[in-house]
Amino acid sequence: MKKTQFYVCPHCGNLLTSSTEAAVSCCGKRLSALVPRAAGPDERLTVEAVEQDYFLSSAHEMTKAHHIAFVALLTGDTLLLRRLYPEWDMQTRLPAFARHGMLLWYCTQHGLFYQPL
């Protein structure tokens, strides 16, 4: 899963993934893979262990024009993805099955970010 790539259609917002390089298109346009960048200290998601889950939260705004569209937990053999929607709070839970991995999220205005779990 280390080569997993994410694609977001700029027209309809469709989210697509591939487990390696692929030719991906949506709405008649070829999509480029998103390039994740390391989150700075003020961009990182808050991760708390709650029961058998990771509770993820952020003060990031969640308006239709600017929101976090998805969060994903990527490990060596698993991808867990949670779609988020505008006007919801930026809070979600993911099963805490792994002690390590990469946490990724996509901001509709600033792109794909990651932080180690």
Side-chain angles (χ1 to χ4, degrees), residues 26-100:
C26 187
C27 296
K29 303 278 184 180
R30 183 164 177 167
L31 303 179
S32 297
L34 299 172
V35 177
R37 61 183 172 181
D42 57 335
E43 298 167 320
R44 296 171 69 95
L45 300 182
T46 301
V47 180
E48 300 173 61
V50 176
E51 298 170 353
Q52 301 296 319
D53 294 334
Y54 292 120
F55 179 72
L56 310 175
S57 62
S58 173
H60 192 284
E61 70 178 273
M62 293 293 284
T63 63
K64 287 185 181 184
H66 185 197
H67 64 279
I68 294 177
F70 70 85
V71 295
L73 175 58
L74 188 60
T75 67
D77 64 353
T78 304
L79 169 64
L80 284 175
L81 190 130
R82 179 73 39 104
R83 184 78 176 202
L84 303 171
Y85 296 93
E87 301 172 1
W88 290 7
D89 288 337
M90 190 7 262
Q91 298 178 353
T92 193
R93 291 172 84 149
L94 293 174
F97 69 93
R99 296 204 192 290
H100 58 82

